[in-house]
Amino acid sequence: MAGLIFLLAGVSMMVACAGYRGVAIALFGVSSVAAVLWFDHHMTDPLTLAF
Amino acid sequence: MNVLANLGNAAAAIGIAAILLVAFGLQFWFGELPCPLCNLQRVAWVLCGFGFVLNLRFGVQPLHYGLSLLGALFGAAVSGRQVLLHIVPGSGTYGSPVLGLHLYTWGFLLFVAVIAGIAVLMILGGRPDHDRDGRHADLRFSGIRRFAAYFLVAMALANAVSSFALCGPIECPDSPTSYWISTYLRF
C-alpha cells in the first residue's frame, strides 16, 4: 500500500513537471487521503505515556 | 526577493530528495529496514516536496506552500507518534541512533524545521507569480529548477519500488527483517 502511495505521489509530480497543474493537485489529494487513511490503519498500538 | 524564494524552493526540493537518499543509504548499506511508520514518514517527505515542485514549475504561489505545509504537518504527526511510542524509558526503540537521535526524532525535528522554513520562504516570496500556465513558466523550468524537481521525482519513484519490494502490495510487518520480494521469489 505504501508503494502505491509513493507511486501516486511520484506520478503527481511527473504530471506537474509536464505542466498539468490541476491533474497533479488532484493526484496529490488522492495520495494525501490514502496516506492519512494508511496512517490511521497503523495507529493500533496504545500509547503508554506514564511511568 | 523572488530570486531568493526560487533558490530556497530549489534548495528545499534538493534537501528533501537528499533526506530520502540518506534513508536509502541507511536501508541498503546498514540494513536498517523501514517500519510502516518509517515508510509513512518517507511518504510525508514526498508529499511535502510536492508543493516545492509546483513552485519550481509554475512559479511561487501560496497554494503550493499550503500543500507543502500539509505534507510537513502530516510528517510531524507520524514522526511525533513514533517518538511517543518510544518516549518512556524501557519501551524500546526502532533502528539505530544517528548522531545520538533516532531517525524518527530527526524526522520530527526536520518536519518542524520545514514548517519554519516555509514561513521564511513565504516572507521572502513577495508577490505571487501569476504566469503558472504561460510560456514564462515553461521557459523558467530549466537548470537547477528542473534538476531539483526531477531529483525529487526520481526519489519518490525509487521509494515506490523499494516499498513494494519490502512490503509487497498490501501490508508491511511491524519490524521487517527481510524483503517481501525475496521470500516471494524465493532467493
Side-chain angles (χ1 to χ4, degrees), chain A residues 24-36:
Chain A
I25 291 176
L27 284 171
F28 171 85
V30 173
S31 52
S32 298
V33 170
V36 171

Side-chain angles (χ1 to χ4, degrees), chain B residues 22-23 26 32 41 94 96-98 101-108:
Chain B
V22 168
L26 291 169
E32 300 269 354
Q41 285 163 61
Y94 188 85
S96 308
V98 175
L101 296 177
H102 287 275
L103 288 182
Y104 40 85
T105 313
W106 277 119
F108 182 77

Side-chain angles (χ1 to χ4, degrees), chain B residues 3 9 21 23 26 38 42 53 59 62 69 74 88 93 110 134 138 148 182:
Chain B
V3 175
N9 276 285
L21 199 60
L26 291 169
C38 313
R42 294 188 189 186
V53 170
L69 279 175
F74 175 65
V88 173
T93 57
L110 289 173
D138 291 339
S182 67

Side-chain angles (χ1 to χ4, degrees), chain B:
Chain B
M1 291 294 254
N2 268 351
V3 175
L4 274 179
N6 285 325
L7 274 177
N9 276 285
I14 291 172
I16 288 174
I19 287 171
L20 293 170
L21 199 60
V22 168
F24 264 146
L26 291 169
Q27 177 179 341
F28 293 118
W29 273 274
F30 296 101
E32 300 269 354
L33 297 184
C35 59
L37 285 179
C38 313
N39 255 334
L40 272 170
Q41 285 163 61
R42 294 188 189 186
V43 167
W45 281 119
V46 173
L47 295 179
C48 190
F50 179 75
F52 296 122
V53 170
L54 286 183
N55 274 338
L56 293 169
R57 177 64 181 83
F58 297 103
V60 172
Q61 290 178 36
L63 166 68
H64 305 159
Y65 283 129
L67 297 177
S68 280
L69 279 175
L70 285 178
L73 286 171
F74 175 65
V78 177
S79 55
R81 174 171 169 82
Q82 198 169 8
V83 168
L84 289 179
L85 278 172
H86 303 297
I87 200 166
V88 173
S91 56
T93 57
Y94 188 85
S96 308
V98 175
L99 300 174
L101 296 177
H102 287 275
L103 288 182
Y104 40 85
T105 313
W106 277 119
F108 182 77
L109 294 174
L110 289 173
F111 280 120
V112 172
V114 165
I115 292 170
I118 290 172
V120 173
L121 284 175
M122 290 186 87
I123 292 166
L124 290 176
R127 289 165 54 190
D129 298 328
H130 289 292
D131 55 352
R132 63 185 186 223
D133 296 321
R135 204 169 134 261
H136 285 101
D138 291 339
L139 289 175
R140 273 192 332 220
F141 190 55
S142 58
I144 188 78
R145 293 163 180 253
R146 188 179 283 265
F147 168 76
Y150 283 129
F151 187 19
L152 197 51
V153 171
M155 291 313 300
L157 296 178
N159 265 292
V161 174
S162 156
S163 187
F164 184 79
L166 179 67
C167 306
I170 306 291
E171 188 92 39
C172 212
D174 281 343
S175 299
T177 53
S178 64
Y179 286 86
W180 170 83
I181 197 125
S182 67
T183 50
Y184 183 74
L185 297 177
R186 295 172 204 274
F187 64 81

